[in-house]
């Protein structure tokens, strides 16, 4: 996971070097401001809309179709798993040819990106389909064994509207695969971020504090303690980061001197902000105080990251500034309102589905393109599940 915000002034994700200084023209103030501002805006969009969709997702699902819930045990293990993955990628890039590794990763993220983007645009596309649109239902069923030993591996149900969304997303996928253009990269990155905020749910605030606290240490160590994260970020040709060129005004769409923001800096604080939105709704006060407070805290934290990175001209671990802001601001508001106990006793899954046991396994492949994308990322495991009656209302 890339969780560092990198300075475009130093040449796309690495600290300044004599080579970069001699081959790249000086950054213009306008170009730097445009790059930083665009990254900030792109980070806010999936958090805001992903949080809103997470509420509808949790309310509209049955017990067998709930989004994956992150428990405190998952949160405690995540920084260790992320560290092993990051180190493994670093060693792979050192040992094997970078060209072949990125070819495999490109194909993998090509499929995942199409599915994620299809799920992202599906609610917007449904508004454009006419009422008499011939929407036919389809099912892709793959089983193993026979008779009583028959086991369902894939039960994928979709309709004509899903096929249209997949077709449009495939155009972006082919564009990304052939050109690796930064706009196509950002479309996939935004889709991954929004899906992550929508479909990954923290079960309570304590779990969110454990997750953010662990990744706070993880981010600092791998950015300041080693060059591993920055090396992987600049070698990894996959839409795991948002990028924006600082030389856009000079070179147009063919610009190549990028600032970058890892998707981890969006999704991790984003799922915590989405949790606070669901907490706001559970209070039934018709206010979103904690959501807007944490959202403003994210803007403050990311803005501080950009400012310090620009001053010191070095990639920064964004979670170093985001975690204290996103946790501290809402807690201070809770202290002022006398709602600390309510905040930390809130159980997200219990409020929305009070009689539903918390999930402890990953869902199988079933339902819309979104569920397939989620299952492919998290390995196939778990019981059979069926698609809701209205396949396009996600």
């Amino acid at each position: 996971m890339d969780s560092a915000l990198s300075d475009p002034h130093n040449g796309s994700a690495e600290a300044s070097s004599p080579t970069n200084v001699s081959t790249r023209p000086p950054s213009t103030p306008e170009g730097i401001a445009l790059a930083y501002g665009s990254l900030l805006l792109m980070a806010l969009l999936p958090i805001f809309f992903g949080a809103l969709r997470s509420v509808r997702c949790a309310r509209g699902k049955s017990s067998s179709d709930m989004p994956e819930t992150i428990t405190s045990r998952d949160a405690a293990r995540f920084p260790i798993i992320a560290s092993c993955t990051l180190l493994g990628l670093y060693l792979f890039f050192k040992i094997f040819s970078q060209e072949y590794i990125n070819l495999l990763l490109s194909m993998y993220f090509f499929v995942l990106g199409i599915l994620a983007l299809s799920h992202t645009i599906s609610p917007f596309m449904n508004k454009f389909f006419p009422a008499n649109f011939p929407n036919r239902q389809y099912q892709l069923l793959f089983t193993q064994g026979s008779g009583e030993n028959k086991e369902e591996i894939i039960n994928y149900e979709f309709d004509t509207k899903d096929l249209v969304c997949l077709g449009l997303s495939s155009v972006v996928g082919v564009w990304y695969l052939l050109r690796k253009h930064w706009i196509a990269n950002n479309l996939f990155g935004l889709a991954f971020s929004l899906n992550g905020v929508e479909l990954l749910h923290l079960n309570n605030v304590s779990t969110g504090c454990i997750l953010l606290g662990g990744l706070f240490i993880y981010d600092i160590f791998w950015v300041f303690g080693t060059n591993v994260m920055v090396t992987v970020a600049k070698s990894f040709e996959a839409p795991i980061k948002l990028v924006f060129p600082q030389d856009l005004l000079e070179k147009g769409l063919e610009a190549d001197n990028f600032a970058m923001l890892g998707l981890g800096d969006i999704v991790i604080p984003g799922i915590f902000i989405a949790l606070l939105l669901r907490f706001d709704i559970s209070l039934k006060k018709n206010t979103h105080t904690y959501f807007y407070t944490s959202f403003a805290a994210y803007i403050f934290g990311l803005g501080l990251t950009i400012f310090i990175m620009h001053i010191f001209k070095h990639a920064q671990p964004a979670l170093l500034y985001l975690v204290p802001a996103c946790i501290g601001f809402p807690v201070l508001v809770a202290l002022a309102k006398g709602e600390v106990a309510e905040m930390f006793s809130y159980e997200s899954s219990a409020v929305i589905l009070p009689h539903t046991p918390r999930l402890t396994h990953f869902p199988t492949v079933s339902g819309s393109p979104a569920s397939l994308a989620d299952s492919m990322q998290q390995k196939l495991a778990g019981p059979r599940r069926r698609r809701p009656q209205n396949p396009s209302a996600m």
Side-chain angles (χ1 to χ4, degrees):
M1 177 194 305
D2 171 37
S3 285
L5 181 62
S6 297
D7 185 2
H9 187 76
N10 294 328
S12 296
E14 58 184 328
S16 60
S17 64
T19 302
N20 287 332
V21 171
S22 62
T23 57
R24 293 188 183 274
S27 303
T28 62
E30 295 82 4
I32 294 175
L34 180 61
Y36 289 159
S38 299
L39 282 179
L40 179 60
L41 177 61
M42 286 192 292
L44 296 177
L45 291 176
I47 292 178
F48 185 83
F49 291 105
L52 295 178
R53 288 173 60 158
S54 76
V55 176
R56 294 195 294 267
C57 175
R59 283 180 168 174
K61 299 277 184 179
S62 66
S63 60
S64 62
D65 287 322
M66 281 184 65
E68 183 64 22
T69 301
I70 301 175
T71 64
S72 56
R73 183 179 180 182
D74 299 328
R77 292 187 301 182
F78 190 80
I80 300 174
I81 297 173
S83 295
C84 293
T85 303
L86 182 67
L87 185 59
L89 287 171
Y90 177 79
L91 294 176
F92 262 91
F93 281 115
K94 289 294 184 181
I95 297 173
F96 300 102
S97 171
Q98 180 175 323
E99 178 182 357
Y100 295 114
I101 296 174
N102 279 318
L103 179 61
L104 293 174
L105 292 173
S106 295
M107 295 303 299
Y108 177 71
F109 281 98
F110 167 75
V111 176
L112 291 182
I114 289 175
L115 295 171
L117 186 59
S118 175
H119 171 54
T120 300
I121 67 174
S122 179
F124 304 102
M125 290 299 299
N126 287 334
K127 299 178 181 179
F128 296 97
F129 289 109
N132 59 349
F133 183 80
N135 193 34
R136 296 184 178 181
Q137 303 292 322
Y138 303 94
Q139 181 180 24
L140 179 63
L141 182 62
F142 181 69
T143 62
Q144 176 179 291
S146 60
E148 296 180 356
N149 296 324
K150 181 180 291 187
E151 181 182 357
E152 187 177 284
I153 305 299
I154 295 179
N155 182 15
Y156 180 52
E157 301 176 24
F158 55 97
D159 57 27
T160 309
K161 292 181 180 179
D162 291 329
L163 291 177
V164 173
C165 292
L166 283 170
L168 294 174
S169 302
S170 298
V171 174
V172 179
V174 172
W175 183 24
Y176 170 77
L177 198 63
L178 296 179
R179 296 290 305 276
K180 293 294 192 304
H181 199 275
W182 61 273
I183 295 180
N185 173 91
N186 287 347
L187 289 175
F188 277 169
L190 289 170
F192 285 137
S193 299
L194 191 146
N195 277 279
V197 175
E198 176 187 359
L199 300 175
L200 292 175
H201 287 194
L202 293 165
N203 62 351
N204 54 51
V205 174
S206 297
T207 299
C209 292
I210 294 172
L211 179 64
L212 267 66
L215 291 175
F216 174 81
I217 299 172
Y218 157 90
D219 217 15
I220 294 173
F221 174 78
W222 288 112
V223 174
F224 285 151
T226 70
N227 68 337
V228 171
M229 184 176 290
V230 175
T231 301
V232 171
K234 71 176 184 179
S235 304
F236 204 88
E237 292 183 3
I240 61 166
K241 53 186 177 289
L242 298 180
V243 298
F244 199 90
Q246 73 158 14
D247 52 349
L248 179 68
L249 299 177
E250 291 79 19
K251 296 185 178 180
L253 295 181
E254 298 305 317
D256 58 1
N257 189 15
F258 297 105
M260 69 168 68
L261 177 66
L263 298 189
D265 297 327
I266 302 172
V267 176
I268 299 303
I271 60 177
F272 186 75
I273 294 172
L275 172 66
L276 293 179
L277 175 59
R278 298 194 295 275
F279 171 60
D280 273 322
I281 294 174
S282 73
L283 295 176
K284 299 179 181 179
K285 294 182 179 179
N286 296 323
T287 60
H288 296 158
T289 304
Y290 294 100
F291 171 67
Y292 290 127
T293 299
S294 58
F295 195 75
Y298 183 87
I299 297 175
F300 171 79
L302 190 57
L304 182 61
T305 306
I306 293 173
F307 174 76
I308 294 178
M309 181 186 65
H310 181 67
I311 295 298
F312 291 98
K313 300 295 187 293
H314 188 278
Q316 295 293 314
L319 293 181
L320 170 63
Y321 311 97
L322 290 172
V323 169
C326 290
I327 294 178
F329 282 32
V331 170
L332 289 176
V333 172
L335 284 170
K337 299 180 68 174
E339 295 176 342
V340 175
E342 292 180 74
M343 173 186 284
F344 281 89
S345 63
Y346 167 71
E347 289 283 339
S348 177
S349 58
V351 170
I352 296 172
L353 291 173
H355 303 297
T356 301
R358 187 176 301 127
L359 292 183
T360 57
H361 52 263
F362 296 122
T364 55
V365 178
S366 169
S368 67
S371 59
L372 178 57
D374 188 46
S375 300
M376 289 180 65
Q377 292 181 72
Q378 302 182 25
K379 309 293 184 183
L380 295 177
R384 175 180 179 177
R385 85 180 189 188
R386 287 291 181 182
R387 181 194 177 98
Q389 292 299 318
N390 184 5
S392 61
M394 295 193 63

